[in-house]
Amino acid sequence: MKIKKYIAAALIGISAATASAALPSVHLNDLDGKDVDTAVVGTEGKPVIVSFFATWCKPCMRELTAINQVYDDWQDETGVELVAVSIDKAQDADKVRSLIASHDWPYKVLLDDNSELARSVGVQAVPHVLLLDGAGNVVYSHSGYQDGAEAELYEKVKALK
């Protein structure tokens, strides 16, 4: 029984730490091969949603598609940007490109093919969303997706305005 309490306390501590820290400096490539230092993501004064996904993850596809349907409105109202971070392996980079193109998603996409960023921020399963304030601090973290969950995410975004 004590072990369960210890594990629960440790997980709460990890979540609390993740929910107040900035993204670590991890160098990832975007779809064009450009190097992006994740430490600067979300530091330009506007909120940023970081959505960890994989091409094989059906809930990830539903979440990114649902957000895409309201993304223009979200951007108009809050200036929010979504950065989609693929955890697919390096050999699947073409699958990621094809998926993004086939859905016509306007998101910036980063390739975390070794899951270095995902591990460093405690992502254990996808989909997983982080919300960064305009200073780059993680202010919200959520794992999993159920239809309609994007409304709660947007409320979190609007609270940053």
Side-chain angles (χ1 to χ4, degrees):
M1 191 61 131
K2 288 183 180 183
I3 292 174
K4 287 182 183 177
K5 288 181 181 177
Y6 175 75
I7 292 171
L11 290 174
I12 290 168
I14 290 169
S15 295
T18 301
S20 62
L23 290 181
S25 180
V26 176
H27 289 265
L28 302 178
N29 287 331
D30 66 12
L31 291 179
D32 296 324
K34 180 182 170 196
D35 179 76
V36 176
D37 182 353
T38 59
V40 300
V41 172
T43 61
E44 297 177 356
K46 295 179 184 179
V48 173
I49 298 166
V50 179
S51 179
F52 290 87
F53 78 101
T55 56
W56 45 263
C57 170
K58 292 190 185 319
C60 299
M61 300 305 105
R62 288 196 335 263
E63 180 175 54
L64 290 170
T65 298
I67 291 172
N68 187 48
Q69 293 173 352
V70 292
Y71 190 57
D72 287 340
D73 293 335
W74 287 16
Q75 286 190 302
D76 289 345
E77 281 188 45
T78 66
V80 70
E81 177 184 6
L82 189 140
V83 176
V85 179
S86 168
I87 63 162
D88 288 272
K89 301 297 178 204
Q91 64 266 25
D92 293 327
D94 286 338
K95 285 183 186 177
V96 175
R97 285 182 189 86
S98 176
L99 175 82
I100 299 299
S102 70
H103 284 87
D104 198 27
W105 290 335
Y107 314 132
K108 180 176 195 168
V109 178
L110 301 178
L111 303 172
D112 190 14
D113 50 24
N114 292 320
S115 295
E116 184 178 354
L117 178 62
R119 276 192 313 276
S120 68
V121 296
V123 172
Q124 296 186 11
V126 290
H128 192 104
V129 169
L130 301 176
L131 176 59
L132 310 180
D133 63 12
N137 298 308
V138 178
V139 296
Y140 177 73
S141 177
H142 185 268
S143 188
Y145 176 74
Q146 292 183 338
D147 292 338
E150 65 279 359
E152 178 184 350
L153 176 60
Y154 189 54
E155 290 303 315
K156 303 284 186 190
V157 171
K158 289 193 305 186
L160 295 175
K161 259 178 74 172

